[in-house]
Amino acid sequence: MILPTLDSHHPGSAPLRSAGQQAETLLDWLGREGIGSLALLHGTSMGAEIALAAAARAAVPITRCVFDDGPFFRFPRPVRAVMAWKFWSIARRCRGKAPQAVMQDALPRRLSGDDPEQFRALWGAVCEVSGYLTAEDCRAMAGICYDGALPAFSEEQQRRFTFLLSEGEPAHTSKKRLLRTYPAASYIDRPGNSHCGFQVSDPEGCAAFLKTLIV
C-alpha cells in the first residue's frame, strides 16, 4: 500500500508544481526501490489527484485504488486564482498559531463541519506545514484542486477504483463529473463527515475498510 504525499509540506522538500509532477516523482521512487506491484494506492484530499495521475502513468499493476475526498474540479483560471489567494491566506494565518486559534476562522470552521473538535489534529498538521509553503506552492495547490484532469481508463480499470465522498464536504459536488467519466467505479457516500472525515474521526474503521479491499 502507498499513500502519496505532497512536496513543499516538510523541511527540505522540493517545490510543489502539479499532480503530474508529484505522480512522476512517486513512480520514479517505486522504480528505484524495485517495487513491481501495488496492492493499494490510496489518495487523500489533494493526494487523490496525485493517486489518479499515478494510476494513469503507472507501468506496475495496481490491485485497488481508493480516492478519499479528492476535489476533482475543473474551474476557470479566475476561480483558481481566488483559491490560490485563499490557500496562501490560510497558510500565513496558520503560521505560529495553535489549532484552536485557527479553528475560529470562518473557512477552517466550514471545512471542519458540524464537529470541528474532531479535526483538531488535522488543523495542527496544517499549522505545522504552513511555515514551509510559499505563494507559488499555494498556486500549485489551487491547480491540483481546481484544474484536475480525469485521465481515461478502461472499464476493467475503473472497477478497481473506489471513491470515498463525505456528503457534507464541498468536494462531494465533483461526484457528477466523476460519474460521467468513471461510471464503472465504486462510490461510497458517507453522511455526517466533513473533509476526509472517515479516516480522521474513525481511523481504525477506515483502516479496516481499506484492508477489506486488498485481503
Side-chain angles (χ1 to χ4, degrees):
M1 171 182 171
I2 196 162
L3 191 150
T5 58
L6 280 73
D7 283 333
S8 80
H9 283 56
H10 52 87
S13 64
L16 179 64
R17 290 299 174 259
S18 69
Q21 173 218 37
Q22 294 293 119
E24 294 291 348
T25 299
L26 171 61
L27 296 174
D28 288 346
W29 180 84
L30 292 177
R32 291 196 303 272
E33 294 296 315
I35 298 173
S37 64
L38 289 176
L40 178 65
L41 178 59
H42 179 204
T44 296
S45 189
M46 283 186 286
E49 274 86 356
I50 296 167
L52 189 65
R57 293 166 165 81
V60 301
I62 303 173
T63 303
R64 296 298 297 265
C65 295
V66 174
F67 309 101
D68 189 351
D69 273 340
F72 292 100
F73 297 112
R74 173 152 277 180
F75 290 146
R77 186 184 298 273
V79 175
R80 301 198 302 270
V82 169
M83 293 310 300
W85 177 82
K86 286 189 176 183
F87 287 156
W88 181 227
S89 296
I90 290 175
R92 289 180 295 172
R93 193 175 301 157
C94 289
R95 287 178 179 174
K97 290 188 178 179
Q100 188 60 40
V102 172
M103 288 163 59
Q104 303 307 311
D105 289 345
L107 183 56
R109 288 185 65 83
R110 180 186 176 193
L111 292 173
S112 299
D114 296 331
D115 186 9
E117 190 60 31
Q118 70 175 329
F119 293 92
R120 179 188 290 271
L122 178 63
W123 284 110
V126 173
C127 291
E128 181 179 352
V129 305
S130 63
Y132 311 123
L133 296 174
T134 66
E136 186 64 25
D137 293 325
C138 292
R139 280 192 287 272
M141 289 165 59
I144 292 172
C145 290
Y146 303 112
D147 192 24
L150 296 182
F153 292 94
S154 69
E155 185 174 330
E156 180 182 355
Q157 289 172 313
Q158 292 177 36
R159 290 197 182 102
R160 300 174 186 173
F161 293 174
T162 298
F163 290 89
L164 294 176
L165 301 155
S166 299
E167 290 183 345
E169 208 278 328
H172 190 276
T173 59
S174 66
K175 181 180 179 180
K176 291 182 179 179
R177 183 175 182 236
L178 292 168
L179 282 167
R180 288 195 301 268
T181 310
Y182 307 130
S186 297
Y187 297 85
I188 299 176
D189 294 329
R190 293 194 54 84
N193 291 323
S194 288
H195 191 57
C196 303
F198 188 15
Q199 61 179 287
V200 172
S201 62
D202 185 13
E204 292 186 2
C206 183
F209 166 74
L210 296 174
K211 188 175 181 179
T212 66
L213 298 178
I214 58 176
V215 173

